[in-house]
């Protein structure tokens, strides 16, 4: 099955993906003692085991069918479109024309974290992304918290993106057939008379249908959609450039640096594409080589397009007119040209672009839950795999939940909640790189963060500069987290509290590592009891089968074989 290990077979490490054997001083097992409450919370899953279990699920295995180009398209598909087509209307009122700087800040923050993701994705190429990285380095409780944040990041971001889909769908319908979906069915609750956002639910269910067809088929559809939205954005730049007015850039920073930071924190959730690529580690043909390349290439392409489109958009329309506009680019096209067909074309591109984001982020969410389920931290149904290599139950449950969430919750609340969950998960990934550098220094890494080979004097010795970039990434993530408002923090802390309750009530006891530790503690007693019973049995008991075999042999000794015809 394309390199996947059959279920029930002894896991064999893929030579191309498995880390090198440990050397003296290289903590290979990574697992802490299981005695004591604190040790149980901090137990770690060895890197070698994470890699060996890659692709294995309940009843089947995922299939390795994705190449570097498809992984890059997954990254771009999950990223490109969200911050431009949907959230730009929410970010510009915070930062003004300086929203361009907000995109750069968010992009730089993502870059430092992307470097850490690239290193870990090439070293631990599994579906769990930062959840699995934390499990191998920081312990089970931290891994659970990270996984719980990823559920917030992915599940809520699917809903956040889907919310804006209805706005562009109405633009497309009005410009083509002159009919629109009623406001109460096309807008999020509490916005312009919205009651239930039906288009948001429909786009999630449509993407669910693609995912049920298989990873390779979904990747092919996503590649086509990514090409369409890149063409649409470049066309917008060409047309809107003619409408730029120098006065629209003044004042450049009307709300000060605080507004720029706040907008950057909101826009950061638009950069989770490379995280989606890392969730495809168990379905990539050559994850050690391709994942780091896909992560870095996609981030470069997306950041360049974001900055270009944002700079032209705020030059073509005064910043104070972006307030409440969730289809800002289509409006700009209409104002600049005076013709509705350009706006219709852009709206069509936005409809496809947002669908692509929903498809790829929804894919990432299902693969993270797949990894958590395999480790026993969430129910087994999320790791059940069909004969086609698709986690069907997982995909349906996640899609229905995200679709209902998109239809019933306003966009602004969803975007901020996604941002803080993303930032927290990225911060943990940066810490995981630093920890793994000290606990597994001899491990082969297909990609390393910059300055990894540089050492500087420190007292009587020298120390590596490798942790510098991850440390900067961690600091930037924390800074942007504190740029979010109090309400977002309250939602985040409430989410964390619910997650901890679920972990202590279910995950801690059902964890595979916990069950294996309990089994290893009872095994000696069981073995002793079995040995005592065997010693008490009469010596003649095992002789019965031998006696029967001798009798059977004697009874057939004198028989003649039938003559051949």
């Amino acid at each position: 099955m394309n390199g996947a290990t059959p279920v029930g077979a002894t896991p064999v490490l893929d030579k191309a993906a498995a880390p090198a054997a440990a050397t003296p001083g290289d903590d290979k097992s990574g697992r802490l003692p299981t005695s004591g409450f604190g040790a149980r919370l901090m137990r770690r899953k060895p890197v070698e085991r994470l890699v060996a279990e890659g692709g294995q699920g309940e009843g089947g295995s995922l299939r390795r069918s994705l190449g570097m180009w498809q992984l890059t398209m997954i990254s771009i598909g999950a990223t490109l479109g969200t911050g431009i087509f949907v959230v730009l209307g929410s970010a510009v009122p915070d930062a003004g024309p300086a929203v361009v700087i907000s995109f750069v800040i968010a992009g730089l923050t993502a870059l430092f974290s992307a470097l850490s993701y690239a290193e870990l994705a090439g070293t631990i190429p599994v579906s769990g992304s930062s959840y699995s990285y934390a499990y191998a380095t920081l312990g089970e409780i931290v891994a659970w918290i990270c996984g719980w944040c990823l559920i917030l990041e992915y599940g809520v971001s699917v809903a956040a993106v889907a919310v804006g889909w209805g706005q562009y769908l109405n633009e497309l319908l009005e410009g083509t057939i002159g009919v629109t979906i009623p406001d109460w069915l096309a807008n999020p609750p509490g916005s312009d008379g919205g009651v239930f956002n039906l288009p948001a639910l429909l786009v999630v269910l449509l993407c669910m249908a693609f995912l049920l067809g298989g990873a390779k088929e979904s990747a092919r559809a996503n590649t086509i959609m990514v090409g369409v939205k890149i063409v649409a954005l470049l066309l917008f730049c060409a047309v809107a450039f003619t409408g730029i007015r120098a006065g629209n850039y003044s004042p450049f920073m009307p709300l000060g640096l605080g507004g720029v930071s706040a907008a950057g924190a909101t826009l950061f959730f638009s950069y989770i594409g490379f995280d989606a690529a890392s969730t495809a580690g168990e379905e990539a043909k050559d994850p050690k080589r391709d994942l780091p390349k896909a992560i870095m290439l996609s981030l470069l392409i997306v950041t360049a397009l974001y900055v270009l489109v944002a700079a032209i958009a705020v030059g073509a329309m005064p910043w104070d007119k972006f307030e409440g506009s969730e289809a800002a680019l289509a409006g700009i096209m209409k104002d600049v040209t005076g013709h509705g067909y350009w706006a219709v074309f852009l709206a069509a591109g936005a409809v496809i672009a947002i669908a692509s984001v929903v498809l790829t982020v929804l894919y990432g969410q299902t693969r993270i839950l797949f990894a958590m389920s395999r480790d026993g931290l969430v129910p087994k149904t999320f790791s059940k795999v069909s004969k086609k290599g698709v986690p069907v139950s997982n995909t349906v449950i996640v899609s229905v939940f995200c679709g209902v969430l998109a239809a019933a919750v306003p966009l602004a609340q969803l975007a901020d909640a996604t941002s803080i969950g993303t930032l927290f998960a990225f911060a943990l990934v940066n810490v995981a790189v630093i920890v793994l550098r000290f606990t597994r220094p001899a491990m082969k890494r297909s990609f390393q963060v910059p300055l990894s080979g540089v050492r500087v004097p420190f007292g009587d010795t020298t120390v590596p500069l490798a942790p510098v970039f991850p440390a900067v990434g961690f600091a930037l993530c924390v800074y942007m987290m504190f740029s979010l408002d109090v309400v977002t923090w309250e939602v985040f802390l409430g989410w964390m509290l619910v997650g901890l309750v679920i972990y202590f009530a279910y995950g801690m006891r059902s964890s595979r590592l916990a069950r294996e530790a309990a089994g290893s503690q009872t095994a000696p007693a069981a073995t002793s009891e079995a040995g005592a019973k065997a010693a008490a049995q009469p010596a003649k008991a095992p002789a019965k089968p031998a006696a029967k075999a001798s009798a059977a042999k004697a009874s057939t000794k004198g028989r003649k074989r039938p003559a051949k015809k």
Side-chain angles (χ1 to χ4, degrees):
M1 298 178 67
N2 299 310
T5 304
V7 176
T10 303
V12 178
L13 288 177
D14 184 357
K15 293 181 180 179
T23 59
D26 192 2
D27 178 16
K28 184 176 180 180
S29 70
R31 204 187 300 185
L32 295 176
T34 55
S35 59
F37 183 75
R40 290 166 60 194
L41 294 179
M42 300 304 295
R43 54 194 168 212
R44 298 194 294 264
K45 191 172 183 179
V47 173
E48 285 76 13
R49 179 170 175 182
L50 281 167
V51 177
E53 292 178 353
Q56 298 180 53
E58 291 285 330
S61 299
L62 302 178
R63 299 179 180 180
R64 293 196 178 275
S65 58
L66 305 178
M68 197 275 283
W69 178 248
Q70 292 166 311
L71 294 171
T72 304
M73 290 299 103
I74 288 175
S75 290
I76 296 177
T79 308
L80 186 59
T82 342
I84 289 297
F85 287 106
V86 180
V87 187
L88 190 63
S90 301
V92 172
D94 287 337
V99 72
V100 176
I101 298 178
S102 299
F103 271 112
V104 173
I105 292 174
L108 286 174
T109 304
L111 173 62
F112 285 104
S113 296
L115 291 171
S116 295
Y117 263 99
E119 178 168 321
L120 291 177
T123 308
I124 315 174
V126 293
S127 290
S129 185
S130 51
Y131 154 77
S132 295
Y133 309 152
Y135 212 164
T137 57
L138 304 174
E140 186 173 281
I141 182 64
V142 181
W144 167 264
I145 292 173
C146 186
W148 192 244
C149 281
L150 290 174
I151 293 174
L152 178 68
E153 171 191 339
Y154 278 87
V156 176
S157 65
V158 167
V161 177
V163 165
W165 194 69
Q167 306 297 318
Y168 281 102
L169 181 62
N170 261 345
E171 290 277 345
L172 179 61
L173 292 175
E174 184 179 10
T176 52
I177 60 176
V179 177
T180 60
I181 303 172
D183 289 342
W184 67 277
L185 271 180
N187 295 319
S191 175
D192 297 327
V195 177
F196 187 84
N197 195 334
L198 181 62
L201 176 61
L202 292 178
V203 69
V204 175
L205 296 181
L206 177 65
C207 292
M208 178 189 74
F210 277 111
L211 291 176
L212 291 176
K216 186 175 182 179
E217 292 74 11
S218 301
R220 186 180 295 116
N222 173 67
T223 300
I224 295 172
M225 289 190 283
V226 168
V228 171
K229 64 182 175 182
I230 289 177
V231 170
L233 286 174
L234 291 177
L235 180 64
F236 166 81
C237 291
V239 173
F241 184 80
T242 62
I244 290 180
R245 302 290 180 269
N248 289 340
Y249 292 110
S250 180
F252 185 69
M253 200 180 295
L255 300 178
L257 187 60
V260 174
S261 297
T266 299
L267 291 170
F268 186 78
F269 99 108
S270 304
Y271 285 88
I272 66 172
F274 60 84
D275 185 78
S278 68
T279 64
E282 295 178 20
E283 290 163 286
K285 295 177 181 177
D286 190 353
K288 283 179 69 69
R289 184 197 68 181
D290 293 341
L291 282 177
K293 291 181 180 178
I295 288 171
M296 301 310 300
L297 180 60
S298 63
L299 184 64
L300 178 64
I301 294 172
V302 166
T303 303
L305 280 170
Y306 274 167
V307 172
L308 177 63
V309 173
I312 292 176
V314 294
M317 187 168 78
W319 70 272
D320 54 357
K321 291 186 178 181
F322 280 81
E323 182 73 38
S325 176
E326 293 174 356
L329 299 189
I332 291 173
M333 292 280 275
K334 186 182 295 184
D335 292 341
V336 169
T337 62
H339 299 290
Y341 59 83
W342 287 111
V344 172
F345 183 85
L346 188 72
V351 166
I352 295 173
I354 295 172
S356 173
V357 177
V358 172
L359 175 66
T360 49
V361 177
L362 193 64
Y363 166 84
Q365 172 69 97
T366 59
R367 269 45 180 184
I368 289 167
L369 283 170
F370 174 84
M372 295 179 71
S373 174
R374 185 172 55 201
D375 291 332
L377 297 180
V378 297
K380 288 184 178 181
T381 186
F382 290 100
S383 58
K384 290 182 178 179
V385 179
S386 69
K387 294 180 180 179
K388 293 177 61 177
V390 179
V392 175
S393 299
N394 183 344
T395 303
V396 172
I397 294 171
V398 170
S399 300
V400 171
F401 173 80
C402 292
V404 172
L405 191 66
V409 181
L411 170 63
Q413 298 176 18
L414 291 174
D416 286 345
T418 302
S419 293
I420 196 167
T422 304
L423 287 165
F424 186 81
F426 284 11
L428 289 181
V429 169
N430 286 296
V431 174
V433 169
I434 297 173
V435 171
L436 200 62
R437 282 304 185 97
F438 285 99
T439 58
R440 301 295 301 273
M443 178 182 293
K444 288 186 178 180
R445 293 163 169 84
S446 60
F447 176 88
Q448 297 185 25
V449 297
L451 305 180
S452 294
V454 179
R455 301 181 69 91
V456 296
F458 184 77
D460 297 331
T461 183
T462 59
V463 295
L465 276 177
V468 171
F469 276 47
V472 172
F474 173 81
L476 286 173
C477 287
V478 172
Y479 169 75
M480 295 192 75
M481 286 180 71
F482 282 99
S483 297
L484 295 170
D485 57 34
V486 176
V487 175
T488 303
W489 271 95
E490 291 174 349
V491 172
F492 176 70
L493 293 176
W495 179 260
M496 288 294 97
L497 181 61
V498 172
L500 289 174
V501 170
I502 294 174
Y503 172 74
F504 286 113
Y506 177 83
M508 187 176 182
R509 292 181 297 175
S510 62
S511 162
R512 284 184 63 186
L513 292 185
R515 295 198 307 268
E516 290 169 3
S520 65
Q521 291 173 3
T522 58
T527 303
S528 300
E529 183 179 353
K533 288 184 178 180
Q537 292 293 328
K540 63 180 180 179
K544 291 181 180 179
K548 289 183 179 179
S550 299
K553 185 177 180 180
S555 65
T556 58
K557 188 174 182 181
R559 292 182 184 175
K560 293 183 180 180
R561 294 182 181 177
K564 293 183 180 180
K565 294 183 181 180

